[in-house]
Amino acid sequence: MLKTDYKFGEVHDLAAQIERSSEHVQVKHIFANDNGGVTLVAFKAGQRLDTHTAPAEVMITVIEGEVEFTILDTPHLLKQGQFILMGADVPHSVEAKADSKIMLTKVKP
């Protein structure tokens, strides 16, 4: 079953769907179903997500800013408009090098 607050056929500004907070990393789910989904994450410079795993294959796209995305202890500097792919259950972390917004597209294997 699809979970979303959005209606099909409507146009939205992607970056405007989530705001950054100086208190903590912000997360907003655009849609999800049993096979995966799309999630936005917003960071103020210096905020981070510590090492964790995800039970899905993920495409990480930088919408705004610059983040260091570390996969298996290898850091990758991603800037606006760039993306990286990551397999399911792979340890990773994220640190915002500037105020940033990213989009996660998740597909369960």
Side-chain angles (χ1 to χ4, degrees):
M1 169 165 261
L2 181 69
K3 296 176 224 155
T4 186
D5 293 330
Y6 297 88
K7 293 180 183 171
F8 283 77
E10 291 182 346
V11 176
H12 301 276
D13 181 313
L14 187 60
Q17 301 309 301
I18 190 167
E19 295 299 323
R20 291 176 283 272
S21 167
S22 58
E23 294 179 23
H24 52 80
V25 174
Q26 298 293 302
V27 176
K28 181 173 184 176
H29 301 285
I30 300 297
F31 73 87
N33 64 21
D34 292 340
N35 299 314
V38 173
T39 302
L40 300 178
V41 185
F43 304 83
K44 290 293 252 179
Q47 289 178 330
R48 61 178 290 115
L49 295 174
D50 290 328
T51 302
H52 60 284
T53 61
E57 294 168 339
V58 183
M59 178 176 166
I60 300 92
T61 306
V62 178
I63 300 167
E64 292 179 356
E66 185 175 290
V67 299
E68 183 175 272
F69 197 85
T70 302
I71 301 174
L72 295 171
D73 297 323
T74 301
H76 303 274
L77 188 62
L78 300 171
K79 298 178 181 183
Q80 182 174 330
Q82 295 181 320
F83 73 91
I84 191 168
L85 301 175
M86 181 185 69
D89 301 314
V90 174
H92 61 282
S93 63
V94 186
E95 181 179 350
K97 297 300 185 180
D99 289 355
S100 302
K101 295 179 182 180
I102 63 174
M103 180 175 64
L104 308 175
T105 306
K106 301 171 279 185
V107 178
K108 291 187 179 175

